Amino acid sequence: MRRRPESSSTAPDTSAKKSSGTSKTDEEAKLNHGIQIRTARRSGFTWLTLFAVIVYSSWAVYQYQYENLPVPLTAEQAGKRGFSEVAAMKHVKALTELGPHTIGSEAIELALQYVLAELENIKKTAHWEVDVEVDLFHVNVGATRLDSGMFVDRTIIYSDLDHIVLRMLPKYAPEARENAILVSSHIDTVFSTEGAGDCSSCVSVMLELARGISQWAHGFKNSVIFLFNTGEEEGLSGAHSFITQHPWSTTIRMAIDLEAMGIGGKSAIFQAGPHPLAVETFASVAKYPSGNIIFQDIFSSGVINSATDFQVYREVAGLSGLDFVYADHGAVYHTKNDKLKLLKSGSLQHLGENMLAFLLQIATSSHLSKANATVDDIQSSHDTAVYYDILGQYMVIYRQRFANMLHSSVILQSLLIWTTSLLMGGSTAAVSLAFSCLSNILMWIFSISFSVLAAFILPLISSSPLPYLSIPWLVLGLFAAPAFLGALTGQHLGYLVLKRYLSNVYAKRKQLSPAIQADLIKLETERWLFKAGSLQWLVLLVVGTYYKIGSSYLALVWLVPPAFAYGLLEATLTPGRLPKPLKLATLWMGLAIPILASAGQFIKLTTVIIGLSVRFIRHPGGTPEWLPSVGLSLFIAAVICLTLVYLLSYIHLSGAKTSIVLSTCILFALSLAVVFSGIIPPFTEETARAVNVVHVVDTTGGFGEKPNSYISLFSFTPGKFTKEVEEIKEGFVCGRHKAIDYVTFSVKYGCLTYDGTEEGWDESNIPTLDVVKDINGDKRITQVKIDTKRSIRWFLAINTEEIEDFTFNVGLEELVAADGKRSIDGWHTIQASGGKNAPTKFELTLFWLQNSTRRSDKMVQSEQRPLLRIRTDLPGVVTPKVETVLEKLPPWYSLFGKSTSPHTLSFLSSLPIDF
């Protein structure tokens, strides 16, 4: 609340003497006559209310944008041509009842049979003018290497895979066969989950879409291909084998991939392009458009260590398209909690209705062939798309070329305004700008410091370094509160420095009374801080435009509205005009559009980061426990500094500083008390800690030695096992005393037990690496025969500090040629998986580096890295000891599976350099 106070200006000389008791000359009285300074009167209640409204508005935007799901339709309500979530949920239920269905398992065969039967029914009930083709496609063997992402350092080998492919096209338009839209998802799951979200939900949506499309396709100009692949969870093998081996793949002009990084919620565009046709079409017809280029930029940066089939379609096949992802409840990803009861009502309806509208539009388009332009051509022409949705109701989309022009125009205008302002204000304005920038720097330093300090405190007072996983909103008190307090502290220090400088400037203006000078200094300082907030967004806009980052639209949104509001309500071109308090209307007008356009995105990003914390660690024990919380605290501090900088500039002249600081401290203290007391557990049965229990048979100690058998317990979630192993009581010893090399990663902290580990495995299953030929000529060549015995899932690491290149053969077929391989940390990995009939015998030919030498010194030999390392898994085999440990695990623990992690029985072996 602001009221106009009594004038603090001087009156005529006689009255001034009576009111102040000071003497003024007639000249001073004339100069001060009529000057009125309005001071800011902002009560604590007003500011707490204002802040609460901003927080509530941001929360409301998030709820409407991400939690507002459509009402599920029954089959009768949807009709023959519509999409019914109720019908799709029957498919989810049927697939999840099979349990985990990994490739090579009996469950995956049952899942394939179920999908095939449903597609045959769709074929029977399709419109009589629609040609429906169903193909059960078998893949014998294949290999791939990707140029980017998490598989960049490895060769992926697959064999004995089965996929189901469905093609629909108008019966009397055979030319439609030559241009197809691919809709793809995977049937297989990891071994640790029934996969309701990842990705039975996607498969079910595709089945229901296929049923609806079968009643529409007679009017299409292009065909639609549905690919139900297997092998995605083992290195994107299903997509690669289809693209490289199926005859229909040459007709595909656009690829749509459906994925999940959690379970349910709104399925949003995760990646798009590079050609903008797909996302532009989606934006124009989707009933509930959802997607933001922010997630695409983050994913492509490599911050999220994951991959989807869309990478294969884009990188190997050169296709453009869309990648959709479910991302709610990210903490359940690949755990036992990816189950049907957590799938939100309306999730399938949201994706299904959007996809149906999109497919009906794109399948009748005559421009589909244009979407097949090469990735390099599109990116070099800067013709990619910038896209983001507003409240899940409307999608804003424009080309990168237009974004460059728009951003450049705003940048030039901003620089012109700043230059004019500095020229009019002279050296005083330039120095004031410098001090206001210092205020921003201090704001960032203190905000980050306070928030990161809180992250360091958590492991000291909590049983888990991630105490907020089960209740994500705890991060408001744990990280947002100290970040806000630090931002206010840092900016206030800058405020005091700037005010002191302006005091020295105004002290030279003898014509103004001290009271008027004091008020003017405060008001001018407040204005400089507000303007400095727009300056930091201008810097981000310049950087984003230079590097052509699509997410830089955020800088535009947070720069233009506040600058416009300030220019409309506050700015003046009259240098002699005295400053007034900033109006609350300026703040409301300036923040309304930014909050509407981005508040939901910031909150969603925070929840995604929290979900990723469950599987944050790549090498268990290899990173500090506090690192995930520090990363989250840095993100929250950055959001606070970027978005609240305008609001903070108002607080320094208000009467609310004390109440705001006190309220923030209370919120932080209460959050710490909740964590310290353990009232809210960090993990629950529905938000479980990701762990692995592996029976390891290790023969890496040396030739002729007895295999070393033990149970390894480790977690990709930060934290110790101290209390848990006391309850399990199976002889586990935890620590860093023994690092275990699982070929694809290393466990540097975990728990081991050797008790009762002799049963459940056989030495005949230990893989062998036999050197059959070693030729020392101009170039040393070594041939190694590999026998993985019963294992159809294995990993082989090749020491690239010794080996320049290699070839890999299955029988007489050369799968991998000697064409140069990438490596990370001196290793190139071969990752293999397949069906029940996958081969288990291979031949590896190694080409040594010229400067590689054989060394026989025993001391040196013990320090050398091996030439080859291999891990084989026996999927589905649970030894008695592992079964006992699993039964004793707390209910808030869950096995965790991913493409590189071991199953419950693994064998380790190696081949030394001096074999």
Side-chain angles (χ1 to χ4, degrees):
M1 178 177 180
R2 187 196 311 152
R3 64 182 179 84
R4 179 172 178 172
E6 296 180 1
S7 172
S8 61
S9 64
T10 58
D13 191 42
T14 55
S15 61
K17 290 178 181 179
K18 293 178 182 179
S19 61
S20 63
T22 60
S23 60
K24 291 184 179 294
T25 64
D26 291 340
E27 182 179 359
E28 288 175 326
K30 290 177 181 178
L31 289 172
N32 288 282
H33 178 70
I35 297 178
Q36 294 185 343
I37 304 299
R38 294 173 56 194
T39 57
R41 300 293 184 186
R42 303 169 185 142
S43 68
F45 176 78
T46 300
W47 277 104
L48 288 176
T49 302
L50 175 64
F51 190 74
V53 169
I54 291 176
V55 172
Y56 179 78
S57 299
S58 301
W59 168 248
V61 167
Y62 169 75
Q63 285 288 315
Y64 193 83
Q65 187 167 6
Y66 288 103
E67 301 294 329
N68 182 32
L69 293 168
V71 177
L73 299 180
T74 63
E76 293 74 18
Q77 291 172 323
K80 291 177 64 176
R81 293 185 165 192
F83 184 93
S84 167
E85 175 174 306
V86 175
M89 286 295 287
K90 294 178 181 178
H91 302 313
V92 180
K93 186 174 185 296
L95 291 171
T96 55
E97 285 177 346
L98 299 174
H101 28 288
T102 60
I103 59 173
S105 66
E106 293 183 3
I108 193 66
E109 294 180 2
L110 295 175
L112 285 165
Q113 291 173 15
Y114 176 83
V115 172
L116 185 61
E118 291 299 318
L119 294 180
E120 291 293 346
N121 288 334
I122 291 172
K123 182 177 180 178
K124 294 176 183 177
T125 59
H127 191 280
W128 67 275
E129 290 185 286
V130 176
D131 191 3
V132 179
E133 302 171 74
V134 180
D135 181 29
L136 179 59
F137 177 55
H138 181 75
V139 178
N140 288 320
V141 69
T144 181
R145 287 199 309 274
L146 299 175
D147 295 331
S148 61
M150 63 181 295
F151 299 114
V152 69
D153 63 329
R154 67 193 61 180
T155 299
I156 299 170
I157 294 174
Y158 51 84
S159 55
D160 191 33
L161 299 180
D162 290 306
H163 315 312
I164 300 175
V165 193
L166 172 74
R167 179 164 66 177
M168 293 185 185
L169 67 157
K171 188 171 292 185
Y172 302 107
E175 65 276 7
R177 294 177 184 273
E178 301 306 314
N179 293 292
I181 304 106
L182 175 69
V183 183
S184 170
S185 191
H186 62 95
I187 301 176
D188 61 310
T189 70
V190 294
F191 79 98
S192 55
T193 178
E194 64 190 33
D198 185 20
C199 210
S200 294
S201 60
C202 312
V203 170
S204 301
V205 167
M206 286 173 57
L207 287 172
E208 179 64 5
L209 278 174
R211 183 200 59 77
I213 292 294
S214 70
Q215 307 301 321
W216 286 95
H218 57 285
F220 288 177
K221 296 179 181 178
N222 310 292
S223 57
V224 178
I225 295 175
F226 291 89
L227 170 63
F228 301 85
N229 73 66
T230 61
E232 190 273 350
E233 297 291 6
E234 297 294 345
L236 316 180
S237 303
H240 186 271
S241 59
F242 171 78
I243 285 296
T244 57
Q245 299 187 34
H246 198 282
W248 293 353
S249 64
T250 58
T251 67
I252 296 172
R253 304 291 176 259
M254 180 183 292
I256 312 299
D257 183 49
L258 308 184
E259 255 297 351
M261 287 177 51
I263 181 169
K266 287 191 174 182
S267 181
I269 296 176
F270 191 50
Q271 300 179 87
H275 196 284
L277 176 63
V279 68
E280 287 176 344
T281 302
F282 178 83
S284 66
V285 299
K287 190 174 181 180
Y288 315 104
S290 183
N292 198 298
I293 197 170
I294 296 174
F295 298 100
Q296 177 174 317
D297 287 343
I298 293 174
F299 189 75
S300 60
S301 70
V303 172
I304 299 177
N305 187 33
S306 186
T308 71
D309 284 338
F310 189 72
Q311 181 181 354
V312 174
Y313 302 137
R314 180 171 176 168
E315 189 175 303
V316 178
L319 296 170
S320 291
L322 300 173
D323 195 8
F324 290 88
V325 65
Y326 284 117
D328 274 20
H329 299 297
V332 310
Y333 177 72
H334 283 190
T335 69
K336 66 180 182 181
N337 290 318
D338 184 3
K339 52 192 175 184
L340 184 59
K341 76 173 188 176
L342 293 183
L343 186 56
K344 289 182 181 178
S345 176
S347 300
L348 306 189
Q349 193 70 39
H350 175 266
L351 176 59
E353 288 198 53
N354 282 343
M355 281 297 301
L356 182 60
F358 169 75
L359 288 175
L360 293 180
Q361 180 69 20
I362 199 67
T364 58
S365 172
S366 57
H367 304 292
L368 185 61
S369 59
K370 297 179 181 179
N372 209 27
T374 65
V375 174
D376 291 338
D377 289 343
I378 294 167
Q379 292 180 337
S380 62
S381 65
H382 314 308
D383 211 24
T384 55
V386 176
Y387 59 92
Y388 52 94
D389 72 274
I390 304 295
L391 298 179
Q393 300 298 311
Y394 178 78
M395 180 164 281
V396 178
I397 184 167
Y398 46 87
R399 303 285 181 99
Q400 184 64 52
R401 189 189 303 274
F402 174 78
N404 294 340
M405 292 189 295
L406 177 63
H407 295 178
S408 298
S409 174
V410 171
I411 291 169
L412 290 175
Q413 293 180 58
S414 300
L415 293 177
L416 179 62
I417 292 171
W418 274 106
T419 302
T420 304
S421 176
L422 293 176
L423 289 175
M424 293 175 64
S427 60
T428 299
V431 176
S432 297
L433 175 62
F435 280 124
S436 60
C437 290
L438 174 64
S439 174
N440 277 352
I441 294 172
L442 292 174
M443 173 185 68
W444 279 85
I445 292 174
F446 277 81
S447 180
I448 289 174
S449 299
F450 284 22
S451 187
V452 168
L453 179 61
F456 280 117
I457 292 175
L458 290 183
L460 303 178
I461 65 172
S462 172
S463 59
S464 169
L466 308 174
Y468 44 79
L469 280 175
S470 61
I471 307 294
W473 299 112
L474 266 178
V475 300
L476 287 175
L478 295 175
F479 301 135
F484 176 79
L485 188 62
L488 179 60
T489 303
Q491 195 185 70
H492 191 68
L493 290 176
Y495 165 83
L496 295 177
V497 173
L498 178 56
K499 190 174 76 169
R500 184 177 183 85
Y501 166 73
L502 292 176
S503 298
N504 294 333
V505 173
Y506 274 87
K508 301 174 183 178
R509 302 178 184 179
K510 303 296 184 181
Q511 68 272 26
L512 297 177
S513 68
I516 292 178
Q517 287 185 11
D519 288 339
L520 288 175
I521 291 166
K522 293 177 182 178
L523 296 178
E524 189 166 348
T525 303
E526 179 183 61
R527 286 171 169 262
W528 275 110
L529 294 181
F530 186 92
K531 291 187 287 185
S534 65
L535 188 61
Q536 69 176 3
W537 282 111
L538 176 60
V539 172
L540 289 178
L541 183 61
V542 170
V543 173
T545 303
Y546 179 80
Y547 289 104
K548 297 179 176 60
I549 301 173
S551 302
S552 57
Y553 84 88
L554 281 175
L556 188 73
V557 168
W558 281 89
L559 169 63
V560 174
F564 175 80
Y566 183 87
L568 182 66
L569 301 178
E570 307 288 355
T572 176
L573 296 177
T574 306
R577 182 177 174 181
L578 299 178
K580 298 178 181 179
L582 291 174
K583 302 178 181 66
L584 288 179
T586 303
L587 192 63
W588 286 118
M589 182 182 294
L591 295 186
I593 293 178
I595 288 176
L596 190 69
S598 63
Q601 312 294 348
F602 287 132
I603 296 175
K604 184 64 176 179
L605 273 172
T606 303
T607 62
V608 169
I609 294 172
I610 293 173
L612 290 173
S613 300
V614 173
R615 54 189 186 279
F616 175 82
I617 301 175
R618 182 181 179 186
H619 301 280
T623 54
E625 292 184 344
W626 43 259
L627 190 58
S629 291
V630 168
L632 178 60
S633 67
L634 287 171
F635 173 76
I636 291 176
V639 172
I640 293 287
C641 291
L642 288 170
T643 60
L644 296 187
V645 61
Y646 300 111
L647 175 66
L648 291 173
S649 64
Y650 277 72
I651 295 178
H652 308 290
L653 298 187
S654 70
K657 288 193 294 292
T658 302
S659 56
I660 288 175
V661 170
L662 183 61
S663 300
T664 306
C665 290
I666 291 174
L667 176 61
F668 178 56
L670 287 175
S671 301
L672 287 180
V674 167
V675 171
F676 181 74
S677 65
I679 297 174
I680 299 177
F683 302 104
T684 64
E685 289 192 40
E686 293 188 352
T687 306
R689 183 179 183 184
V691 301
N692 288 82
V693 181
V694 187
H695 192 143
V696 179
V697 179
D698 190 350
T699 63
T700 58
F703 289 112
E705 295 186 9
K706 183 179 179 180
N708 195 10
S709 175
Y710 51 86
I711 305 296
S712 170
L713 171 65
F714 61 90
S715 176
F716 290 95
T717 307
K720 300 284 194 303
F721 288 104
T722 308
K723 294 182 179 179
E724 290 79 359
V725 296
E726 292 177 358
E727 297 178 5
I728 296 173
K729 297 179 181 179
E730 289 294 328
F732 279 104
V733 177
C734 301
R736 300 176 180 273
H737 55 282
K738 178 177 175 58
I740 303 176
D741 186 350
Y742 281 101
V743 179
T744 52
F745 65 93
S746 297
V747 175
K748 299 181 180 179
Y749 170 83
C751 304
L752 297 178
T753 180
Y754 295 86
D755 298 347
T757 60
E758 296 80 14
E759 298 180 355
W761 61 276
D762 192 281
E763 289 193 24
S764 63
N765 293 323
I766 298 174
T768 58
L769 302 170
D770 296 326
V771 177
V772 296
K773 187 181 295 185
D774 187 31
I775 303 173
N776 272 305
D778 294 336
K779 191 171 184 113
R780 184 180 176 191
I781 301 174
T782 301
Q783 290 184 354
V784 181
K785 282 191 175 181
I786 303 170
D787 189 350
T788 62
K789 302 302 174 69
R790 287 175 53 202
S791 176
I792 55 175
R793 185 179 192 266
W794 53 270
F795 305 82
L796 177 72
I798 300 171
N799 186 344
T800 55
E801 292 182 356
E802 303 289 340
I803 302 302
E804 182 179 16
D805 211 337
F806 65 87
T807 61
F808 190 86
N809 289 54
V810 178
L812 299 177
E813 182 179 357
E814 184 181 76
L815 280 184
V816 182
D819 54 359
K821 315 293 190 301
R822 292 188 182 182
S823 63
I824 293 180
D825 298 329
W827 296 98
H828 182 88
T829 303
I830 298 177
Q831 174 176 335
S833 60
K836 290 181 178 180
N837 298 318
T840 58
K841 291 181 171 57
F842 312 91
E843 186 175 285
L844 177 69
T845 303
L846 304 173
F847 302 94
W848 293 68
L849 289 167
Q850 292 291 345
N851 59 353
S852 178
T853 58
R854 299 182 67 175
R855 306 174 67 182
S856 58
D857 183 87
K858 292 184 178 180
M859 183 64 69
V860 175
Q861 182 177 350
S862 65
E863 296 174 356
Q864 284 180 337
R865 305 196 313 173
L867 183 66
L868 301 175
R869 298 179 293 140
I870 190 170
R871 184 189 94 220
T872 59
D873 298 337
L874 289 185
V877 178
V878 180
T879 63
K881 185 66 174 182
V882 170
E883 187 175 6
T884 301
V885 174
L886 291 176
E887 290 174 353
K888 293 186 177 182
L889 283 180
W892 57 87
Y893 272 30
S894 170
L895 290 179
F896 177 71
K898 61 178 182 177
S899 64
T900 58
S901 62
H903 286 207
T904 49
L905 176 59
S906 294
F907 295 85
L908 301 178
S909 188
S910 63
L911 179 68
I913 292 177
D914 296 301
F915 48 80

